[in-house]
Amino acid sequence: MPHPGRMLTLPASDRVVTLVGTAFAVSPTGVLATSAHLVDPGDAQLMEAVAQRAAPDGALLAPDGARRRVRDGAAPVGVRVLGVRVWPAYPAGTSPEAVRALPARVVRGGVDHAEDVALVRVAAAHDLPALMVRGDASAGTAVTVVGFGSTAGGGPAEPWVRAGVFVGGVDRGALPVDPVVDAVVVTGDSGGPVLGPDGTVRAMVTSRIQQ
């Protein structure tokens, strides 16, 4: 087990971590909204992603072949975001190899970690079907959750659409209340829109409450 302050170097195969989620257009000129933790992750998100590659006992395999356990409160060192890429939705039956990922960049000043919202721009995208953001709902409002999460590996080629309902919110003190939706949400849905009956965006998927 590493001592406090000791660094554990990951094997080369584990040094690149990919965070996958959902984004939606808010402007026809290529601006997309998504979750901030996907494009500008903090230490907690990075350590969680690393932990998902660990052995069942929580240990990591070091380059020397030894097993090392990461202490609680460990933080990544020398980490940087290599880039953001966006894959457009494509019909089922299409070969993934035939779909080209589009490079994107985070909009300057477009990251709000408190709200877990970020804006990215895809320069190669034009005339996108942008969604109107309304951002309000009351308890009992029927909603539709759209995302690219999947209970199976690989993720779906087309977005997964589910029905849900607003049930209230989580009070965060001085910060705005987080809306809570009763709906099925899985890994990969982060950044996905929560649509009201009129098709406007009422909220965004940012986390899942375990029950």
Side-chain angles (χ1 to χ4, degrees):
M1 181 180 295
H3 299 292
R6 180 178 175 183
M7 289 194 299
L8 173 62
T9 302
L10 296 176
S13 60
D14 289 334
R15 292 177 190 171
V16 177
V17 176
T18 301
L19 303 178
V20 179
T22 301
F24 59 95
V26 293
S27 167
T29 58
V31 178
L32 311 179
T34 189
S35 288
H37 72 261
L38 295 173
V39 298
D40 189 23
D43 287 354
Q45 286 81 24
L46 289 170
M47 292 308 299
E48 181 180 357
V50 170
Q52 290 177 355
R53 298 192 176 202
D57 62 357
L60 292 171
L61 185 64
D64 59 5
R67 297 168 73 85
R68 301 284 189 266
R69 186 180 297 276
V70 179
R71 284 182 179 271
D72 292 338
V77 177
V79 177
R80 61 189 177 93
V81 177
L82 297 178
V84 178
R85 293 181 294 174
V86 175
W87 277 266
Y90 55 93
T94 303
S95 171
E97 289 74 19
V99 181
R100 181 170 63 94
L102 303 176
R105 63 175 178 82
V106 179
V107 174
R108 184 184 297 274
V111 176
D112 185 338
H113 285 288
E115 293 296 316
D116 196 10
V117 175
L119 297 177
V120 300
R121 181 182 295 278
V122 181
H126 304 284
D127 300 323
L128 297 180
L131 297 176
M132 181 179 294
V133 179
R134 179 173 168 181
D136 67 327
S138 56
T141 300
V143 296
T144 302
V145 178
V146 183
F148 285 85
S150 175
T151 53
E158 298 178 318
W160 185 22
V161 179
R162 286 137 288 168
V165 61
F166 269 108
V167 295
V170 175
D171 190 351
R172 297 183 295 162
L175 295 173
V177 173
D178 273 344
V180 176
V181 175
D182 183 6
V184 176
V185 173
V186 297
T187 301
D189 283 334
S190 288
V194 179
L195 306 176
D198 58 356
T200 60
V201 179
R202 303 301 184 89
M204 174 190 293
V205 178
T206 58
S207 61
R208 179 174 55 186
I209 299 177
Q210 301 288 352
Q211 294 184 341

